[in-house]
Amino acid sequence: AGGSGTYIDPYIIKTGGQLLRMKTCPDKYFELASNIDLDNINWLPFEFKGNLDGKNYTVSNLYVDRIESYQGLFSECSGFVSNLTVRNVYINAGTLNYIGAISGSGGTITNCKVILGSSSLLVGDQYVGGISGHNAKITDCSVESDAASAVIKGNSYVGGLIGNCSSDITNSHVSCKLMGTNYVGGIIGSQGEYRI
């Protein structure tokens, strides 16, 4: 909706279509300028290397039904995501791995919130987390549920924030239901060298 993708003049995002078009230049700077409803249309995750400032807006009704690993708003993230709320997430990845509401794997994620609603589900096999499935740096984030039916579920490496991590986790909290078999934790399923 405007901008040139630079630090001082980021691309402005106001619609779901514009949000998806970020994949054409995933290493640029972006800002949300309104709440975005993705309408439970099957989202196509993509790798993100840039900087997204959500400006405290909300992306709602994120729905992903794909037959590959690395599912979330972003499949993989080596960039920065901040000041964003993701509400009503549904990702049922079955036996696939690396599942998170914001990133399947990676990223520096700051001041973000995931809110699970009555139709929410985050399901995979390994590396499943409310924020990211694997190896993200998480600061001032939360995962919350406003419905008893919402669940984060996997077989191994399942965490309320992140399934497996070797980065720092700071000032973050979780309040939701988790289910798993091996390496399951309210904050993190399994650790490398990291600090909370």
Side-chain angles (χ1 to χ4, degrees), residues 36-117:
I36 296 174
D37 188 347
L38 296 178
D39 292 319
N40 293 308
I41 297 170
N42 197 8
W43 179 255
L44 180 60
F46 57 92
E47 185 177 0
F48 183 64
K49 304 175 183 178
N51 189 304
L52 172 63
D53 185 348
K55 291 293 182 179
N56 297 314
Y57 287 108
T58 298
V59 173
S60 59
N61 299 315
L62 172 65
Y63 178 94
V64 185
D65 184 10
R66 303 284 174 181
I67 56 172
E68 60 266 347
S69 294
Y70 297 97
Q71 296 187 21
L73 183 64
F74 303 116
S75 57
E76 297 180 77
C77 181
S78 56
F80 299 83
V81 181
S82 61
N83 309 315
L84 177 68
T85 296
V86 179
R87 179 185 289 273
N88 297 334
V89 184
Y90 181 95
I91 304 175
N92 189 352
T95 60
L96 300 170
N97 306 318
Y98 302 102
I99 310 302
I102 294 178
S103 78
S105 179
T108 298
I109 302 172
T110 305
N111 193 35
C112 290
K113 182 183 293 186
V114 173
I115 303 174
L116 305 176

